[in-house]
Amino acid sequence: MKKTLPYFAIIGIAAFAGNMINIGLSYGMHWLSLDPIAFMESFNVDFPLLLGPTTVTLMPGFIATLWLYFLHKDNKPAQRYWLFAFAGLMLVNIQTVVYHLPMNLDFMALSYTAEEATSKLQGWIIFHWIRVVVAIVSGVFAIKAFQLSTSN
């Protein structure tokens, strides 16, 4: 398990980051091209479809990274990097729940005027790219942890 689990962590984080990049480059750019009201109407369809792939890609990395943190109590340098990788993924989750999810629900409920929707979507996109960067950094920490755990 100790040899296989790092692959789940690294591949899961990479898949999640790739999924998030895809959302930003495809959906995000498409949403910005739409009329604000049409965007919110389409978001009502798009958002639920994005939940499955996002969850399926995030969960293996999230769970495996936490598990690996506890498995490496005998290797403090590797454990520290597993903790950093997990903390990054936790930060992405917190940002999603605190910032993105309430806005997503408001987009779906058509709660914004056209001007508000445009402004909110622009902020959503900016903060989405922050999530992408944090996910990539988490992947780098996971790779470093893996290197440290195999060198001993």
Side-chain angles (χ1 to χ4, degrees), residues 37-60:
I37 303 303
F39 150 67
M40 288 191 290
E41 291 170 346
S42 74
F43 195 83
N44 202 26
V45 173
D46 296 339
F47 175 64
L49 295 174
L50 295 172
L51 287 176
T54 302
T55 303
V56 166
T57 57
L58 173 63
M59 292 318 297

Side-chain angles (χ1 to χ4, degrees), residues 126-146:
I126 290 167
F127 282 97
H128 176 76
W129 287 113
I130 292 170
R131 289 190 295 186
V132 170
V133 169
V134 172
I136 291 170
V137 170
S138 291
V140 170
F141 282 127
I143 291 168
K144 184 66 176 167
F146 178 66

